[in-house]
Amino acid sequence: MKISNLWLKDYIQTDLKSDKIAEFLTDIGLEVEGIERFESIQGSLEGIVVGRVLTCEKHPNADKLSLTTVDLGNNNIVRIVCGAPNVAAGQTVPVATIGTKIYAKDGSFFEIKEAKIRGELSQGMICAEDELGLSEDHDGIMVLDENKFVIGEKFAQYFDVTNDEVYEIGLTPNRTDAMSHYGVARDLNAFLVSNDMKTNFEKIQSLGIEINSHHDFQIEIEDTEQCPRYLGAIIENVEVKDSPDWLKNRLKAIGLSPINNIVDITNYILHGLGQPLHAFDAEKIVGKKVVVGNNAEGTLFTTLDGVERKLKGHEIMIKDGNNQPMCIAGVFGGLNSGVSENTKTIFLESAYFNPVAVRKGAKHHALNTDASFRFERGVDPNMTRLALTHAIKMIEDIANGKLSGSILEHYPKTIEDHYIILRFSKIEQILGTKIHKEKIREILKSLEINVLNDIPNGFEISVPPYRADVTREIDVIEEILRIYGYNKIDNPKKLTFSPVKLQFNDQDELENSWARTLQSNGFNEVMNNSLRGLKDESHAVKLLNPLSNDLAFMRTSLLDGLLENAAYNINRKNEDLKFFELGKIYHKFDQYEERKQLALLVTGREKAENWMQPKSATNFYYLKAYIQLLLEKIKVNYTEKPLESDIFSDGLAFLVDGKTIAQLGKVATHKLKEHDVDQECFYAEIELETVQVLRPTENFKFVDIPKFNKIRRDLALLINKEVNYIDLYEAARKSPSKHLKNINLFDVYEGKNLPEGKKSYAMSFELLNEEKTLEDKEIAKVMEGLIKIFQKNFAAELR
């Protein structure tokens, strides 16, 4: 959401700089993600001065150029080479002086420098309108009225040039109250008041409007639950035309394109006060009657974008006296009832619609407008009349309209405040600190939350409807903390805890444990959208009402999201990556299937570049080690086998009782190309629900540290090339000796001096008896048993 600094200061007066305002907004939960500069004219006409052409002669070395002398005031006369066909002596012109930046439409610019053009000195540039950003005209230089423009004056002072700073706020969905400049100003004022800073904020009031005549219009609400409050005003004699520059610049600053004065005013009220309005051409309303209700399912309706839509029947519709639809209420207007340049009388609507009904209609028709965005989350029902009166006043001032008759209103049942008991003890318990009750009262007042009564240990308060998300005591405490300041809450000096038994049936505990393990090993957790566009739609779950084709399916794999994360980082020169994600995937076979997985992706170097360590890239075995580490934490006995998969060029599966619990491999080239990743990636995924079932049911046990030393023995085995280490490992694990603790492969040799088809494995074996020191004959017995196993099962030979 974009908030203009100049617009914000229409509601709150403060001497704070924009960077300080951004800091305070972030502190109160309105996170400012960036500040952009807005100029109504690019460059703000900096360096442009009014000059007079004294002489104009033909350039001696170019047919289409002229050599001029220009007076810039204060006896500053410069020579300028000009290529415009209409330049002449005696003209008053805008001149770009040396050092001035001339901007193009795309934001690029060039700087005016003293230079020789075809051998003649040029010390500036006489400008055309398009070069200054004033229009598209490039037929020649801009010739000024000598009676209005003074030689030597800054050109910018003759224009209403807006220089603004725009905050980009990452607003959370629940904060409908802050989806306007007034709402942000209210929050900022509360913070400044709470911190004893200078501020001037006045609560906006409804305006009295002079009534000039009468009208015969009526309104009818078919279902009060769908439309609890509805207001309408007839405004006559309007002149639909361009908006004044100040209004255009307000809208341009926040990224909106001005359309005409009526539409611009409704947009101004929407983004200024947070109340969506809609203007109808009153002469197109049949029967002079506005009906709010539903149309039959299958009714055809053409919206402003020219699309003919088939109504479902549940949409709230604005209809005329013949029951013909004119607008999807709170979502989108109709093509045949909108305001045009020929409109003379308008019906201006301000309403509070049921949020659920608006959202249902918007999603069905895949429409997401500024109005629906606010109505879906719940606008302030008390703002409807106030916003309408301000819009009427603006239309009277800007479009010369006149209010006809009184404002029509349907509001049979007042929407009440939320009544809450706020306990000081609960505030202290949650925050861990005590806030004086008068400070709490001050914060609540600044948020327009009324303290009705002082009660023992608290307040009885009423929360106005503009805060639709504040309905419980804990919500109020959060509001108090937000304004009081998170940074004022001290960290505790002492932490105490007691060890608790592990809950093996708690999958969250398993996920958190694995996440901590990966984070401590340098992995970064990512969270990707579970909605995607898919090339292969087989077995994919499709949404009934997708926001767009790019978000039409539930994801079938976590790999695509992780590859997009990798591509984003690699394109920004962050090439050494270790990601993991905990998320669900979805399929449709005979029935719908939903599974939760832990996915890992590594690419780039294993360790950061360092002069002490050789460069080493991540590989298959590097990722495999992390999978083994996670599985070892839950004591799962598994087997491994090669895996053929469309997503891997080399893959490996981990199985328990023939069921796959995890798989990993090198990502196939075609998958990398799909996401524009140009370096090797290795990916793994673990089936969380499957592994959860396999977890041991015994709780942890404390054991003594061994009193005796481990004994290590090594074997160098000559084996066939097709034998894998995992085969030797599994066979050794089946040894009957209880003293064999660890097995490791520390060398592989496949070079010269070996028989054809053979390779050499060097393996280490660690032996331990917890009760006594192992004797040589006991060690020899274990090793002889291992040698026999290798010889019998793999035809191994000792080297």
Side-chain angles (χ1 to χ4, degrees):
M1 182 182 72
K2 294 182 184 293
I3 293 294
S4 156
N5 191 50
L6 292 178
W7 198 343
L8 186 68
K9 290 186 176 181
D10 288 344
Y11 302 110
I12 182 171
Q13 286 74 53
T14 174
D15 296 330
L16 294 172
K17 301 294 185 183
S18 58
D19 57 344
K20 206 64 182 174
I21 291 176
E23 178 187 332
F24 291 159
L25 290 177
T26 299
D27 286 345
I28 59 177
L30 305 179
E31 183 181 1
V32 177
E33 298 173 342
I35 303 177
E36 300 175 356
R37 185 174 177 82
F38 169 78
E39 298 172 321
S40 58
I41 301 174
Q42 278 197 312
S44 299
L45 301 178
E46 290 282 345
I48 311 296
V49 298
V50 178
R52 175 170 288 131
V53 181
L54 299 178
T55 64
C56 180
E57 302 173 355
K58 186 176 180 299
H59 194 294
N61 303 317
D63 293 337
K64 295 185 178 181
L65 297 179
S66 299
L67 185 61
T68 68
T69 56
V70 182
D71 181 7
L72 300 182
N74 297 323
N75 297 318
N76 182 15
I77 298 174
V78 297
R79 293 164 59 86
I80 296 177
V81 176
C82 181
N86 66 326
V87 65
Q91 292 174 333
T92 301
V93 293
V95 179
T97 57
I98 293 171
T100 301
K101 294 176 180 178
I102 301 296
Y103 287 83
K105 285 183 180 180
D106 61 3
S108 61
F109 65 87
F110 68 89
E111 186 175 328
I112 301 298
K113 297 179 180 179
E114 184 176 298
K116 282 192 174 184
I117 301 176
R118 293 293 183 94
E120 296 295 335
L121 182 66
S122 184
Q123 299 170 297
M125 185 176 83
I126 304 174
C127 300
E129 289 189 22
D130 68 328
E131 292 166 335
L132 298 175
L134 299 176
S135 75
E136 303 293 327
D137 186 7
H138 193 70
D139 291 339
I141 60 169
M142 186 178 183
V143 180
L144 307 175
D145 183 351
E146 63 180 11
N147 296 320
K148 178 181 177 182
F149 292 84
V150 179
I151 307 303
E153 294 286 346
K154 292 182 178 180
F155 191 55
Q157 74 181 44
Y158 296 96
F159 294 85
D160 183 16
V161 180
T162 299
N163 288 298
D164 199 357
E165 290 170 301
V166 180
Y167 308 103
E168 182 67 45
I169 296 180
L171 198 64
T172 53
N174 63 305
R175 293 300 308 279
T176 321
D177 64 293
M179 291 179 186
S180 66
H181 288 75
Y182 178 74
V184 173
R186 176 172 49 203
D187 256 21
L188 178 61
N189 174 71
F191 179 82
L192 297 179
V193 168
S194 174
N195 288 274
D196 302 320
M197 296 186 191
K198 186 178 179 182
T199 177
N200 183 15
F201 172 82
E202 292 186 10
K203 185 177 178 181
I204 197 162
Q205 302 293 330
S206 184
L207 300 177
I209 305 295
E210 182 182 349
I211 300 173
N212 295 280
S213 60
H214 298 280
H215 62 73
D216 298 324
F217 275 80
Q218 303 174 45
I219 60 173
E220 178 186 331
I221 312 301
E222 294 179 349
D223 186 346
T224 300
E225 287 190 10
Q226 287 190 332
C227 180
R229 188 174 192 184
Y230 189 88
L231 296 95
I234 304 298
I235 307 172
E236 299 177 331
N237 303 320
V238 297
E239 298 175 14
V240 180
K241 55 187 179 181
D242 280 350
S243 298
D245 288 341
W246 73 265
L247 179 52
K248 288 182 179 179
N249 291 335
R250 282 285 193 268
L251 299 178
K252 287 178 180 177
I254 61 172
L256 297 181
S257 299
I259 298 173
N260 60 53
N261 53 359
I262 302 301
V263 175
D264 294 348
I265 288 169
T266 61
N267 280 329
Y268 179 83
I269 295 297
L270 169 68
H271 293 276
L273 301 179
Q275 174 63 43
L277 305 175
H278 190 73
F280 300 87
D281 188 327
E283 295 175 2
K284 297 178 181 178
I285 301 176
V286 177
K288 294 186 177 182
K289 185 176 183 180
V290 175
V291 181
V292 183
N294 305 109
N295 282 101
E297 183 176 0
T299 301
L300 298 179
F301 174 59
T302 304
T303 45
L304 276 170
D305 55 1
V307 177
E308 186 177 69
R309 305 176 188 275
K310 184 179 291 187
L311 300 181
K312 194 70 176 175
H314 56 64
E315 304 93 337
I316 308 175
M317 300 300 297
I318 309 300
K319 305 178 289 185
D320 63 19
N322 283 348
N323 208 41
Q324 293 302 305
M326 298 190 295
C327 173
I328 303 177
V331 181
F332 211 22
L335 183 64
N336 299 322
S337 61
V339 172
S340 69
E341 59 184 10
N342 299 318
T343 298
K344 298 300 179 186
T345 304
I346 65 171
F347 177 86
L348 188 61
E349 164 195 280
S350 180
Y352 174 78
F353 298 114
N354 182 287
V356 175
V358 172
R359 178 175 175 79
K360 197 173 179 181
K363 296 308 173 188
H364 175 73
H365 294 287
L367 292 170
N368 184 22
T369 62
D370 285 337
S372 68
F373 186 78
R374 287 158 176 79
F375 276 126
E376 289 172 16
R377 290 157 177 79
V379 298
D380 180 7
N382 294 332
M383 182 62 75
T384 50
R385 173 174 282 274
L386 186 151
L388 183 62
T389 59
H390 279 260
I392 294 170
K393 185 71 171 91
M394 289 184 69
I395 292 172
E396 289 182 343
D397 293 341
I398 295 173
N400 299 319
K402 296 295 180 183
L403 177 65
S404 174
S406 59
I407 294 174
L408 299 170
E409 181 171 12
H410 176 87
Y411 194 24
K413 184 179 180 181
T414 303
I415 297 175
E416 301 290 347
D417 293 355
H418 303 296
Y419 293 95
I420 298 172
I421 299 297
L422 177 65
R423 296 166 292 170
F424 301 143
S425 58
K426 190 67 174 178
I427 297 175
E428 188 173 348
Q429 177 190 349
I430 297 296
L431 305 189
T433 190
K434 191 170 185 177
I435 303 176
H436 195 279
K437 78 171 189 175
E438 293 307 318
K439 173 60 71 174
I440 295 173
R441 190 193 304 271
E442 178 184 70
I443 292 172
L444 294 175
K445 181 180 178 181
S446 66
L447 291 172
E448 300 177 15
I449 297 175
N450 300 315
V451 176
L452 302 177
N453 293 301
D454 287 37
I455 60 175
N457 188 39
F459 292 143
E460 182 183 352
I461 62 175
S462 66
V463 181
Y466 88 85
R467 286 311 304 268
D469 61 321
V470 179
T471 57
R472 304 168 299 165
E473 181 185 31
I474 190 64
D475 298 329
V476 180
I477 294 173
E478 182 182 355
E479 289 299 293
I480 293 170
L481 174 59
R482 189 171 61 82
I483 300 303
Y484 179 74
Y486 292 98
N487 297 331
K488 293 182 181 178
I489 305 299
D490 294 328
N491 290 324
K493 296 179 180 179
K494 182 181 179 182
L495 293 174
T496 59
F497 70 95
S498 300
V500 296
K501 288 186 177 182
L502 298 178
Q503 299 296 323
F504 290 104
N505 60 349
D506 185 355
Q507 187 170 312
D508 289 339
E509 185 276 329
L510 172 63
E511 293 173 15
N512 291 333
S513 173
W514 277 359
R516 288 192 296 269
T517 299
L518 292 171
Q519 289 165 350
S520 64
N521 281 277
F523 279 79
N524 292 300
E525 184 174 7
V526 300
M527 298 176 67
N528 290 305
N529 196 337
S530 59
L531 303 180
R532 307 192 56 80
L534 298 177
K535 290 184 178 180
D536 181 9
E537 299 179 7
S538 59
H539 305 302
V541 180
K542 187 174 183 179
L543 272 65
L544 294 176
N545 296 309
L547 293 174
S548 69
N549 291 332
D550 292 333
L551 301 171
F553 294 90
M554 305 294 284
R555 63 186 174 190
T556 57
S557 171
L558 300 180
L559 174 60
D560 294 292
L562 290 171
L563 286 175
E564 288 176 1
N565 302 142
Y568 182 89
N569 280 269
I570 292 168
N571 290 339
R572 287 155 181 80
K573 306 304 179 184
N574 183 23
E575 299 171 345
D576 305 326
L577 306 170
K578 296 164 73 174
F579 289 146
F580 77 93
E581 180 175 11
L582 291 157
K584 291 184 177 181
I585 60 173
Y586 309 85
H587 295 88
K588 182 181 181 182
F589 298 106
D590 293 334
Q591 57 186 5
Y592 289 103
E593 181 180 288
E594 176 181 326
R595 308 199 315 269
K596 192 164 191 180
Q597 294 182 334
L598 167 64
L600 292 77
L601 186 136
V602 296
T603 183
R605 287 187 293 255
E606 179 182 339
K607 296 179 181 178
E609 191 173 17
N610 189 295
W611 67 273
M612 295 180 64
Q613 296 178 343
K615 294 180 180 179
S616 59
T618 54
N619 55 39
F620 179 93
Y621 298 102
Y622 176 76
L623 181 57
K624 180 183 176 184
Y626 285 113
I627 299 300
Q628 291 174 322
L629 173 65
L630 297 178
L631 295 180
E632 285 173 5
K633 287 177 69 68
I634 57 171
K635 310 299 182 185
V636 172
N637 295 318
Y638 56 84
T639 58
E640 302 173 8
K641 77 170 186 178
L643 173 69
E644 291 186 6
S645 171
D646 183 54
I647 64 172
F648 295 134
S649 56
D650 293 300
L652 181 70
F654 294 77
L655 300 96
V656 174
D657 297 330
K659 190 171 185 177
T660 300
I661 62 168
Q663 59 182 23
L664 70 98
K666 179 181 176 183
V667 180
T669 303
H670 72 90
K671 291 295 293 183
L672 297 177
K673 286 182 178 179
E674 282 181 21
H675 300 280
D676 296 323
V677 177
D678 56 4
Q679 64 185 48
E680 286 186 341
C681 294
F682 299 89
Y683 171 76
E685 58 190 29
I686 301 176
E687 300 291 342
L688 281 168
E689 281 102 344
T690 304
V691 169
Q692 170 66 21
V693 175
L694 300 172
R695 293 178 70 189
T697 55
E698 294 182 1
N699 221 305
F700 61 82
K701 295 180 179 179
F702 293 97
V703 296
D704 290 333
I705 297 174
K707 298 181 177 65
F708 304 97
N709 294 332
K710 291 180 180 179
I711 305 297
R712 169 171 166 160
R713 292 292 185 267
D714 297 341
L715 290 179
L717 301 173
L718 188 65
I719 56 177
N720 294 328
K721 283 190 174 182
E722 61 268 18
V723 176
N724 294 318
Y725 166 66
I726 188 63
D727 301 324
L728 299 173
Y729 179 89
E730 294 293 342
R733 272 294 175 204
K734 294 177 182 177
S735 167
S737 173
K738 62 181 181 179
H739 302 320
L740 181 60
K741 302 300 181 184
N742 290 312
I743 305 167
N744 184 44
L745 175 67
F746 64 88
D747 186 55
V748 177
Y749 179 68
E750 297 187 50
K752 299 179 181 179
N753 304 321
L754 290 181
E756 186 177 351
K758 297 288 186 177
K759 61 183 176 181
S760 174
Y761 275 1
M763 299 175 64
S764 65
F765 302 88
E766 289 187 350
L767 310 177
L768 174 68
N769 187 332
E770 288 88 353
E771 299 176 355
K772 68 183 185 72
T773 301
L774 283 170
E775 298 179 1
D776 288 343
K777 62 181 181 180
E778 293 176 301
I779 297 170
K781 183 178 179 181
V782 174
M783 297 308 296
E784 287 171 2
L786 291 171
I787 293 169
K788 288 180 181 179
I789 290 173
F790 295 146
Q791 289 174 337
K792 179 180 178 181
N793 295 329
F794 308 106
E797 302 175 30
L798 291 179
R799 292 189 66 195

